[in-house]
Amino acid sequence: MIDRNDPYFWADLLDTILKGAGETFYTVGVSLLLTVLFGLAAGVLLVTTEAHGLLARPFGSRALGVVVNRVLDVVVNIGRSIPFIILMILLIPFTRLLVGSFIGPTAAIVPLAIAGIPFFARLVEIGIREVPKGLIEAAQSLGATRWTILTKVLVAEAVPALALGLSTTVVGLIGYSAMVGAVGGGGLGDVAFRYGYQRYSPEYMFAVVILLILLVQLFQSLGNFAARRLSHR
Amino acid sequence: MISVSRVVKSYGSGTAQVRALDDVTMTVKKGEIFGVVGQSGAGKSTLIRTINSLEQPDSGTVHVGGRDMTKLAGRDLRQARHDIGMIFQHFNLLSGRTVRANVELSLEITGAGRAQRRSRALEILELVDLHGKADAYPAQLSGGQKQRVGIARALASSPSVLLSDEATSALDPDTTRQILDLIRQLSKDLGLTVLLITHEMDVVKRICDSAAVMSQGRILEQGSVEKLLTTEKSLLGQALFPLGDIPPTSNAVVEITFTGVATDRPVIAQLARQHGIDVGILGAAVETIHGRQTGRTRLELPGDERAVSGAVADLRSQGLYVEVIK
């Protein structure tokens, strides 16, 4: 139980929360970067390696296209079907191998990114699929390379959908980051768990919850705003 | 300019196999506007896609400006496509780019520098009468304006061939006419060879120099529009100038096709006067094609055989194409 009458109570609370928020920004930020990088690639590949897709024959081999497509599909499904709390625990050896420890904000990045990538990949897939096939044909008729079509047509035209997907992913990652926090990942979840729950402080609990609500609102609004501004349909 | 030779293309396999192109041979001369007409499913779309190799035929060759498109791949194919512009029924513009940026895409692909892209894009937008809309997005444009952007994009890289895939099929009649006139104008000014496919006979009537009629993957007839019109039992002639069924009559029936000659002469009055025949008009379809009166008239000629054949010979001697139906 934390003494509410301690003259430093509110100052301590602010310090702790700010430190937690900083850690949350760090873990969510880095894992988001990885998620966008790999999730975008995976989502694009999922669509384009399908039969008659732009990359149906990578390096001239349809077999390779089929393999990439199937493997990605299965991996993404596995990633999406394991509850995050289990995934976190399953990944402990892998995290230790990668980061050297499975405790702390840096270690928290690993499960967050691995949960985020398949999640974002599916959202990217939906966005890319919405791009009309005729646009690809038009670019081909202009003599565009596959890379140009990928970047300037498929991804560029999906940008509004990707912005929405991104904000949904950020919100998901913030939620997951709180869960990692509870098992030693640091951040706002850690603050809520250790101070709010284990040491019975409703002030800490409420402060964290309110901050999380504000963050989620902020990122969702940003995403909606960006999608609206970027869409000219 | 474009020469398609013995091209075959099938889809599916086994009993479900469909021959989209069944031994198609066709020639489009430099600078002409060539229309391929046919109903949907006739194979027109597949045919036009083999020209720029969006579809690979199973066999046969497709030459564009001396290059065999079926033999090209990779960089050579992309290079060849810079010389073949294409416009589409649904315009296929990038919604996230402005009009100017859509046109510039074509130039980004050919590798032009930024300043050059900008000036060329504005120049070509001027040509299609859209310079005021350079900074608008496609969603803010009407169908006709969108197709103008499509044309500008297709022509930005200065191709010598323009392929038009049902480019006016999503437009209303007025806009269709404007777009067709624009294509005709550009073809004349830039020396463009145009191959268009359409299911609308009006398109052929309005701008085509030559045409081919396609059905079930085969070309049934092809040639200059004027020649096709005066060909006996021509599908194109009948489709362009439908005269309907012949009513029951015991008299001789003839059809006169005129393509710009003798239309200002009072042919029917002359027949009545000189041959003493009370000519009856059973049907007529006349239109102005390329500024000349073109059409068909079906006449009923009462009288004995001698009088009728004399009248027919007289008409033919005036340079009219006369077909004796019965």
Side-chain angles (χ1 to χ4, degrees):
Chain A
M1 184 83 192
I2 305 172
D3 181 8
R4 191 177 292 127
N5 299 317
D6 184 319
Y8 296 107
F9 174 79
W10 293 105
D12 283 348
L13 182 140
L14 194 65
D15 266 2
T16 314
I17 297 261
L18 281 181
K19 181 168 171 285
E23 285 172 358
T24 295
F25 276 120
Y26 166 66
T27 47
V28 170
V30 178
S31 55
L32 184 66
L33 211 68
L34 295 168
T35 294
V36 168
L37 216 65
F38 290 101
L40 186 62
V44 167
L45 281 176
L46 270 172
V47 182
T48 53
T49 54
E50 281 182 343
H52 308 300
L54 190 63
L55 299 176
R57 300 174 168 276
F59 306 106
S61 157
R62 177 67 195 124
L64 181 61
V66 171
V67 168
V68 170
N69 190 269
R70 295 285 146 77
V71 168
L72 269 178
D73 194 53
V74 169
V75 168
V76 165
N77 277 342
I78 291 174
R80 301 268 292 119
S81 55
I82 302 175
F84 184 68
I85 190 112
I86 312 283
L87 183 75
M88 224 160 52
I89 296 163
L90 279 175
L91 283 173
I92 285 176
F94 180 65
T95 305
R96 205 180 319 191
L97 190 80
L98 223 61
V99 195
S101 155
F102 67 94
I103 289 176
T106 303
I109 291 167
V110 177
L112 277 182
I114 286 181
I117 290 166
F119 183 75
F120 188 54
R122 283 291 180 217
L123 296 177
V124 172
E125 183 190 351
I126 294 167
I128 300 277
R129 235 180 251 292
E130 301 260 299
V131 177
K133 297 261 184 300
L135 299 191
I136 300 175
E137 201 170 56
Q140 279 172 334
S141 78
L142 293 171
T145 59
R146 289 194 289 191
W147 177 250
T148 301
I149 296 172
L150 220 57
T151 52
K152 294 191 173 178
V153 178
L154 284 181
V155 174
E157 281 290 293
V159 158
L162 296 184
L164 278 180
L166 192 66
S167 60
T168 308
T169 306
V170 175
V171 168
L173 285 179
I174 291 175
Y176 285 163
S177 82
M179 232 186 277
V180 197
V183 296
L188 288 171
D190 184 37
V191 174
F193 187 69
R194 280 196 290 137
Y195 292 79
Y197 178 68
Q198 290 181 326
R199 295 162 80 177
Y200 312 109
S201 169
E203 286 85 357
Y204 275 83
M205 193 60 105
F206 279 129
V208 168
V209 168
I210 286 167
L211 191 54
L212 284 176
I213 290 173
L214 289 178
L215 282 178
V216 168
Q217 286 291 347
L218 175 72
F219 284 112
Q220 195 60 57
S221 308
L222 272 178
N224 293 346
F225 175 74
R228 242 195 341 267
R229 281 301 299 272
L230 293 169
S231 171
H232 299 284
R233 274 179 219 276
Chain B
M1 190 70 201
I2 303 173
S3 128
V4 175
S5 175
R6 312 216 59 168
V7 161
V8 175
K9 171 83 186 179
S10 307
Y11 292 110
S13 55
T15 50
Q17 197 180 50
V18 180
R19 282 219 156 169
L21 297 177
D22 193 357
D23 197 12
V24 170
T25 297
M26 186 182 81
T27 309
V28 181
K29 291 197 278 289
K30 189 169 165 46
E32 77 172 342
I33 300 182
F34 191 108
V36 178
V37 276
Q39 310 202 311
S40 53
K44 312 181 300 282
S45 275
T46 310
L47 175 62
I48 203 167
R49 277 167 176 68
T50 61
I51 308 299
N52 61 356
S53 206
L54 287 176
E55 295 268 9
Q56 273 287 348
D58 300 336
S59 64
T61 58
V62 176
H63 282 89
V64 179
R67 272 181 294 221
D68 186 352
M69 298 299 291
T70 60
K71 298 256 183 333
L72 297 180
R75 179 190 289 268
D76 294 336
L77 176 58
R78 293 196 299 273
Q79 210 77 46
R81 281 173 176 166
H82 295 333
D83 195 40
I84 309 172
M86 189 168 188
I87 54 177
F88 305 87
Q89 179 174 6
H90 298 297
F91 323 122
N92 295 346
L93 304 175
L94 298 183
S95 71
R97 284 178 175 236
T98 61
V99 165
R100 180 160 61 79
N102 263 287
V103 177
E104 282 192 25
L105 175 69
S106 166
L107 302 159
E108 288 167 28
I109 290 168
T110 56
R114 179 187 291 266
Q116 197 193 342
R117 287 204 303 264
R118 197 192 161 94
S119 67
R120 173 66 181 153
L122 293 176
E123 177 189 39
I124 196 96
L125 282 173
E126 188 106 17
L127 212 55
V128 299
D129 214 12
L130 261 190
H131 42 280
K133 295 284 183 187
D135 294 319
Y137 285 92
Q140 299 166 302
L141 303 180
S142 69
Q145 290 172 327
K146 285 182 195 167
Q147 196 56 284
R148 284 167 193 269
V149 180
I151 292 171
R153 177 177 67 181
L155 299 184
S157 62
S158 310
S160 48
V161 173
L162 178 68
L163 304 176
S164 163
D165 179 7
E166 298 274 8
T168 56
S169 299
L171 304 175
D172 62 61
D174 270 350
T175 315
T176 294
R177 272 194 289 280
Q178 289 168 13
I179 293 294
L180 291 176
D181 290 348
L182 176 66
I183 292 175
R184 176 140 203 104
Q185 190 62 44
L186 290 170
S187 156
K188 214 161 76 188
D189 293 350
L190 307 174
L192 268 180
T193 305
V194 180
L195 173 62
L196 60 86
I197 64 169
T198 182
H199 64 270
E200 297 166 314
M201 283 295 169
D202 277 344
V203 172
V204 176
K205 221 185 269 187
R206 192 157 186 95
I207 67 167
C208 290
D209 303 307
S210 299
V213 179
M214 239 186 136
S215 173
Q216 298 187 326
R218 288 176 163 274
I219 287 190
L220 302 180
E221 56 183 45
Q222 63 176 313
S224 80
V225 172
E226 268 181 33
K227 189 146 161 274
L228 286 179
L229 289 181
T230 51
T231 303
E232 210 163 322
K233 306 258 171 358
S234 157
L235 295 164
L236 191 74
Q238 274 156 28
L240 282 178
F241 300 107
L243 293 174
D245 295 331
I246 299 167
T249 170
S250 55
N251 298 320
V253 175
V254 300
E255 282 177 16
I256 305 174
T257 304
F258 39 95
T259 57
V261 287
T263 46
D264 50 350
R265 271 181 272 157
V267 172
I268 292 165
Q270 226 169 29
L271 274 184
R273 246 192 336 263
Q274 295 183 354
H275 299 271
I277 296 174
D278 294 325
V279 181
I281 300 176
L282 297 179
V286 183
E287 295 220 28
T288 307
I289 295 185
H290 303 172
R292 294 196 289 184
Q293 288 269 300
T294 305
R296 293 198 299 160
T297 311
R298 182 183 288 153
L299 302 177
E300 181 181 17
L301 305 178
D304 59 40
E305 212 168 297
R306 242 168 45 99
V308 170
S309 59
V312 168
D314 190 20
L315 288 171
R316 284 183 175 146
S317 72
Q318 294 178 45
L320 290 167
Y321 179 79
V322 184
E323 212 175 324
V324 180
I325 304 297
K326 60 173 269 189

